[in-house]
Amino acid sequence: MPKSFLSRLLASSLLILSTFLGAHAQPIASKGKAGTPFFKDPDMMTIGVYYYPEAWPESQWARDFANMRKLNLEFVHMGEFAWGLYEPEEGKYTLDWLERAVNLAAKAGLKVILCTPSAAPPAWLAENHPEILMVDANGRRMQHGTREQGNWSSPLFRQYVEKINTQLAKRFGNNPAVIGWQIDNELSHYGKQFSYDDFSRARFQAWLKQKYSTIDNLNRDWGNVFWSQLYQNFEQIRIPNEQELVATANPHALLDFQRWFTEEAADYLSFQANTLRQNSQNQWVTTNFMAMHRDVNPSLSSRSLDMITWTVYPVHGDYENSDLGFRLGNGAALGFMHDFARTLNGNEGVMELQPGQVNWGAINPQPLPGAVHMWIMHAFGAGAKLICSYRYRQPLAGSELYHYGFVGTDGVTPLPGGQEYGQAMQEVNQLRKLRKANAKEPAAYSARRTAFLYNFDNRFDLDIHPSTTRWNTMGHLLRYYRALKTLGCPVDVITEDRDFSRYKFLVAPAYQLLDAQLVTRWTKYVQEGGHLVLTARTGQKDRRGHLWEGPWAAPINELIGAKFSPQAFDLLPGERKGKVSAQGKTYEWGSWGESLLPASGTQTLAAYADQFYAGAAAVVSRKLGRGTVTYVGVESLEGDLERDVLRSVYTAAGTPVENFADQFFVEWRDGFWVATNFTSQKQTAPVPANAKIIVGKRELEPAGVTVWQE
C-alpha cells in the first residue's frame, strides 16, 4: 500500500474520527416529515421513464421529451449517475445543463424526478480521498469505474454527499416542474455486499456498545465462551468475515452485524432526506430499494421517506414457474413486494421496471409480448402510485448497451416495451375518468383480507443457519403468499409494530426468532377471534438467536396445542422425497419436516406417511377462545399442502374463498377489478355477467390483462 495513501487515511481519520463517533455512534431514528403529497386523486397511478440527457446531444433533448409525451408518459427521471457532471472538480458546480433539461421536460408537459448522485462518486473524489471507497471481504479497496463503490459509513464521504445534495436542492428545491427526489440508486454494494473498512468497523463497535453497555453482556449473548471467542473490550471486535476465518463465523455476531448494516443504510437515507428537505418545498422524497433484497430493510425508512419505491426486473433468465415462466416472471414475488411496500407508509411504486430484454442477467431472454403491459397493470391492481422504467433510450456505449429502452438505437424507433408502457398509461387515463368516488372494497373480498407477518431478523437468522441446502427462506414465504393469492385473498405484508386485530387472518411463516411478548400478542389475537397460521421453524430461538433451555420451541407449545417429538425435525438429502397424508391426499416433501405430538383437543390435519416416524403429526390445528391456531410443520415440494391447509382454515372460519390457478392474480383497487395471467395457460377472469369489461377480455391468454367494473 503506498505511503501517500496511508498518510492521507491517517490524517483523515484523526481529523474526523472523534467527531464521527460522537455525532454518529447511535443509529439516527427516522425523523423525516413524511406526508408530502405525491399524486393526489384522481390520478391513481402515474407512469414515467429514466432519461440521461448527459448521454445525448442537447439538440435531441426536446425531441425525446416530446416523444415521451406521445407515449402518454407523465414524468421523467434524471440525474442519479451524474455527479461527475454536476461537480467536475471539487467545489465547482455545473448545473445549468440540468436546469435546461428540466425546463425542456416541463415545456413538453412532463414532471421531473431528480436524484442525488451518491451512487456514483466522481473520479477526483476517489483519487483525492481513497478512504471513502468501500473495502471488500478480501481486504481490497474498490476503485473508481463502476457504481456503489462509496462507503456510506465514511463521515468524509457523507460530507461530500451533503455538499452536492445541498447544491441540487437549493437549485431545484422550489422548481415547480420537480415533483420529487430519489436518494442514491439501489442502495447496496451489489455482489460485494458489505464494506469491511475501518470506519464501518468503528460504527459497528459503537452500535454494539450502545446495545450491550458492557463487554460481558455481549460475550454472554454471543455465546463467546465457545471456541474461546471472549472479548475484553469492544475495540477488539471485527466485522464478521468468512474470508478471514478458518471455521464458520459466530452466528450471533453475524445476526447483529446484519442488523447494524440495515440500520446504517436507513441512517444514510435519512441523512440525505433531511438534507434535501432543508432546501426544498412541496417535493416528496424516496429511494429505489431492490425487490427481495435482504441487506437493506425498507421498513426502517418508512418514516423518513414519503414513498417506498423499488426496482424489479421480472425476466432475466433465472425463474421458471411454468413453460413460459422465463418470459413472464414470478407474479408472486412482484405481488409480495407491492403488498410489503404499500403497508409501510401507504405510498409505494416501482421506480425501475424492465422495458424489454436486459443485458446483465443469467440468460436475458425476451419477455413474452404483453408481459411488460401485464407487469404494469398488475402493479396498478396492487395499489402502486408510480411506475417508472429504466430506460427511455437504449445506450450506444457502456456496460448496459444491450439493455433495451423504449426506443431503438436510432433514438426514435419505438420498441415493443415502450409501446406497452404507452398502452398502460392510456388505460390508466381511461380508468381515471371511470372511477367512482368513494368506491368501497367489496365485502366478500374484504372479509378474506390477510396479514402476512414479515421480519428481516428472521430472514437473517434463517439464512445464517439454513441447516440444509434445500431450504430457501424467501421460497418458503412465497409458498404461503402464492397459496393466499390462489384463494383470492388481498394481502398486507406487515411488520410486528402493526395492529394484528384489524385482520381476521394472520399468517406468520418460519417466524424463528420471537419473545414472550409476541407470543402473548398472538394468543390474545386468537382468543379474540383471529385465525393464526404458523409454519415450520417458528419459535425455535429467542431474539438473540439462542435456543430455549426447555422443550423444543417452548414458547409456542401451549399456543399451538402440541409439543415436538424428541427428533423435533428431519431433513431429507438430495432429491429424496418423503410423503405426508391428509384427507385422502398424498403430498411430497423434502426440505424440512417437524414431528408434532398433539395435546388433547388439538386436531391432526396431516401426518407423515413414511420414514421411521410414519403416523406422526405434521400439521395440527386447535380452537382457542373465539379463534384458531394452525401449525404447519412441513414444507411441501409443490406448495399444494400449504394451499389446502389454508383453504381449510378459511372454510372453517366461514369465509368463502376463490380457486384461482397459481400465478393468476385478481385484485381490487379504486373500484376496479384487475386480473393478470402469469401462467402458461389461458385463464378465465371471474367477471360477473352484469359487469363492464374496460380492458381486455374475459378469457386471458398468457400475459393477458382484464380490468372490469361492477
Side-chain angles (χ1 to χ4, degrees):
M1 185 180 293
K3 183 178 180 181
S4 58
F5 171 77
L6 286 173
S7 61
R8 287 198 300 268
L9 176 59
L10 179 60
S12 175
S13 300
L14 291 174
L15 283 171
I16 60 181
L17 189 55
S18 60
T19 302
F20 169 65
L21 290 175
H24 297 290
Q26 301 181 18
I28 298 173
S30 299
K31 296 179 180 178
K33 55 172 185 178
T36 301
F38 185 61
F39 287 93
K40 295 181 179 179
D41 291 340
D43 291 335
M44 298 191 298
M45 187 174 84
T46 186
I47 299 176
V49 69
Y50 279 53
Y51 184 65
Y52 296 90
E54 65 270 28
W56 307 106
E58 189 167 346
S59 60
Q60 297 178 358
W61 295 356
R63 178 202 69 188
D64 291 345
F65 291 135
N67 286 338
M68 292 177 201
R69 283 299 296 142
K70 289 178 182 177
L71 282 173
N72 306 303
L73 303 182
E74 296 185 330
F75 70 88
V76 62
H77 172 291
M78 296 188 288
E80 81 274 22
F81 298 137
W83 195 342
L85 290 164
Y86 291 161
E87 190 179 7
E89 300 175 20
E90 182 171 354
K92 179 182 178 181
Y93 302 102
T94 56
L95 302 177
D96 290 351
W97 66 271
L98 181 62
E99 186 162 19
R100 293 195 298 273
V102 168
N103 290 341
L104 283 172
K107 186 176 180 180
L110 295 163
K111 295 296 185 180
V112 177
I113 297 173
L114 290 182
C115 303
T116 69
S118 50
W124 59 260
L125 181 53
E127 180 70 18
N128 296 341
H129 301 286
E131 63 270 29
I132 63 96
L133 299 169
M134 69 159 292
V135 175
D136 75 0
N138 293 307
R140 298 172 300 189
R141 190 170 296 275
M142 298 296 99
Q143 299 180 12
H144 176 78
T146 178
R147 57 178 173 162
E148 291 293 354
Q149 69 269 29
N151 170 29
W152 55 78
S153 290
S154 162
L156 185 61
F157 184 58
R158 289 197 182 200
Q159 288 177 20
Y160 280 100
V161 169
E162 184 174 24
K163 288 178 183 178
I164 187 60
N165 289 359
T166 299
Q167 291 293 323
L168 286 165
K170 285 183 175 179
R171 185 72 170 263
F172 298 100
N174 293 292
N175 189 315
V178 178
I179 55 173
W181 296 88
Q182 175 189 299
I183 296 170
D184 206 86
N185 181 269
E186 297 179 347
L187 189 63
S188 70
H189 295 306
Y190 295 101
K192 301 301 181 183
Q193 199 170 10
F194 307 121
S195 181
Y196 296 84
D197 63 283
D198 289 340
F199 293 127
S200 296
R201 181 184 177 188
R203 285 280 272 176
F204 180 47
Q205 290 169 346
W207 183 88
L208 292 171
K209 190 170 185 178
Q210 181 192 7
K211 178 176 181 177
Y212 291 105
S213 299
T214 70
I215 199 66
D216 289 341
N217 290 338
L218 180 141
N219 282 325
R220 178 200 63 216
D221 284 5
W222 282 14
N224 284 339
V225 293
F226 189 63
W227 286 350
S228 189
Q229 295 177 43
L230 292 166
Y231 294 105
Q232 286 72 49
N233 55 67
F234 288 98
E235 288 70 30
Q236 292 175 324
I237 299 172
R238 298 179 62 84
I239 293 173
N241 183 350
E242 299 282 2
Q243 299 302 316
E244 295 180 338
L245 300 171
V246 173
T248 56
N250 183 314
H252 312 290
L254 283 172
L255 179 59
D256 265 345
F257 175 69
Q258 292 186 338
R259 286 166 166 159
W260 166 79
F261 189 83
T262 61
E263 291 188 19
E264 185 78 345
D267 174 75
Y268 182 57
L269 294 173
S270 178
F271 146 73
Q272 291 209 46
N274 290 337
T275 301
L276 292 171
R277 290 192 176 105
Q278 289 169 9
N279 298 283
S280 64
Q281 293 182 351
N282 300 318
Q283 294 170 334
W284 46 263
V285 180
T286 189
T287 192
N288 58 333
F289 299 99
M290 291 188 287
M292 300 297 180
H293 183 59
R294 188 189 68 177
D295 300 329
V296 177
N297 181 356
S299 69
L300 298 180
S301 297
S302 61
R303 287 188 295 156
S304 60
L305 301 177
D306 300 299
M307 168 170 274
I308 306 297
T309 65
W310 43 287
T311 290
V312 65
Y313 289 80
V315 171
H316 53 273
D318 66 350
Y319 180 73
E320 293 188 43
N321 66 302
S322 60
D323 291 342
L324 291 174
F326 73 102
R327 298 197 189 279
L328 295 168
N330 185 349
L334 293 177
F336 184 92
M337 274 302 299
H338 282 298
D339 290 340
F340 175 46
R342 186 188 63 251
T343 64
L344 294 180
N345 65 16
N347 297 316
E348 74 94 11
V350 181
M351 193 61 84
E352 278 187 51
L353 179 64
Q354 187 171 353
Q357 190 177 36
V358 298
N359 74 302
W360 46 264
I363 300 171
N364 302 304
Q366 289 282 0
L368 192 71
V372 172
H373 171 251
M374 176 182 66
W375 301 332
I376 299 169
M377 297 309 292
H378 180 260
F380 173 80
K385 293 187 176 180
L386 173 149
I387 297 293
C388 187
S389 182
Y390 179 86
R391 49 194 290 168
Y392 178 70
R393 291 186 65 170
Q394 183 171 349
L396 306 181
S399 62
E400 294 187 341
L401 60 100
Y402 281 102
H403 191 299
Y404 266 37
F406 282 16
V407 294
T409 53
D410 62 1
V412 293
T413 301
L415 295 177
Q419 293 175 316
E420 291 182 32
Y421 270 87
Q423 175 191 353
M425 190 68 247
Q426 187 175 29
E427 291 167 356
V428 170
N429 278 326
Q430 183 182 8
L431 297 176
R432 288 172 178 170
K433 297 174 183 176
L434 296 173
R435 183 183 183 188
K436 298 176 181 178
N438 302 317
K440 188 176 180 180
E441 188 173 85
Y445 183 74
S446 183
R448 53 183 185 260
R449 179 168 292 279
T450 301
F452 191 107
L453 202 56
Y454 182 43
N455 181 296
F456 269 68
D457 283 3
N458 284 321
R459 188 174 174 187
F460 296 152
D461 197 63
L462 289 162
D463 289 347
I464 289 168
H465 261 158
S467 297
T468 168
T469 56
R470 299 179 76 173
W471 176 263
N472 181 307
T473 300
M474 286 309 303
H476 182 82
L477 270 60
L478 287 179
R479 270 178 171 78
Y480 286 89
Y481 183 85
R482 286 164 52 193
L484 290 168
K485 288 303 179 180
T486 66
L487 304 180
C489 298
V491 176
D492 291 341
V493 180
I494 66 170
T495 49
E496 276 183 40
D497 57 324
R498 301 307 171 97
D499 180 9
F500 302 160
S501 67
R502 296 180 52 240
Y503 301 91
K504 186 176 180 180
F505 302 96
L506 173 63
V507 179
Y511 222 82
Q512 184 154 286
L513 307 181
L514 48 69
D515 53 26
Q517 182 180 8
L518 179 59
V519 176
T520 298
R521 290 180 64 198
W522 281 346
T523 303
K524 181 181 178 183
Y525 165 79
V526 175
Q527 289 173 333
E528 294 179 352
H531 300 278
L532 173 66
V533 178
L534 303 175
T535 84
R537 306 190 69 155
T538 293
Q540 292 183 1
K541 302 178 183 179
D542 65 19
R543 302 286 193 180
R544 302 171 298 175
H546 289 205
L547 297 174
W548 303 98
E549 188 175 0
W552 190 258
I556 66 167
N557 286 187
E558 182 178 352
L559 172 63
I560 68 174
K563 293 184 179 180
F564 293 78
S565 73
Q567 292 82 20
F569 63 92
D570 192 19
L571 314 169
L572 299 184
E575 298 297 319
R576 191 174 293 273
K577 300 175 183 177
K579 290 182 171 56
V580 173
S581 297
Q583 300 295 314
K585 296 178 65 174
T586 299
Y587 307 87
E588 294 181 327
W589 73 279
S591 66
W592 195 278
E594 297 170 350
S595 300
L596 299 160
L597 304 173
S600 176
T602 298
Q603 180 184 6
T604 296
L605 300 184
Y608 294 98
D610 60 7
Q611 310 303 318
F612 65 87
Y613 39 81
V619 182
V620 297
S621 185
R622 69 174 294 221
K623 293 181 179 179
L624 179 61
R626 300 198 305 273
T628 62
V629 184
T630 302
Y631 188 88
V632 187
V634 64
E635 180 183 273
S636 73
L637 292 178
E638 302 297 329
D640 47 356
L641 173 64
E642 290 84 347
R643 181 179 62 249
D644 289 348
V645 169
L646 285 173
R647 180 179 296 278
S648 72
V649 171
Y650 288 81
T651 300
T655 302
V657 292
E658 301 286 356
N659 188 28
F660 298 137
D662 186 23
Q663 297 289 332
F664 179 70
F665 302 90
V666 178
E667 311 283 357
W668 186 92
R669 185 235 175 111
D670 290 322
F672 302 100
W673 290 96
V674 182
T676 49
N677 185 12
F678 285 77
T679 81
S680 298
Q681 292 80 38
K682 184 182 293 185
Q683 303 292 332
T684 301
V687 183
N690 61 346
K692 176 184 178 182
I693 294 179
I694 304 165
V695 175
K697 302 176 181 179
R698 190 182 304 270
E699 300 293 321
L700 287 79
E701 298 291 340
V705 174
T706 302
V707 181
W708 68 96
Q709 191 175 42
E710 297 180 11

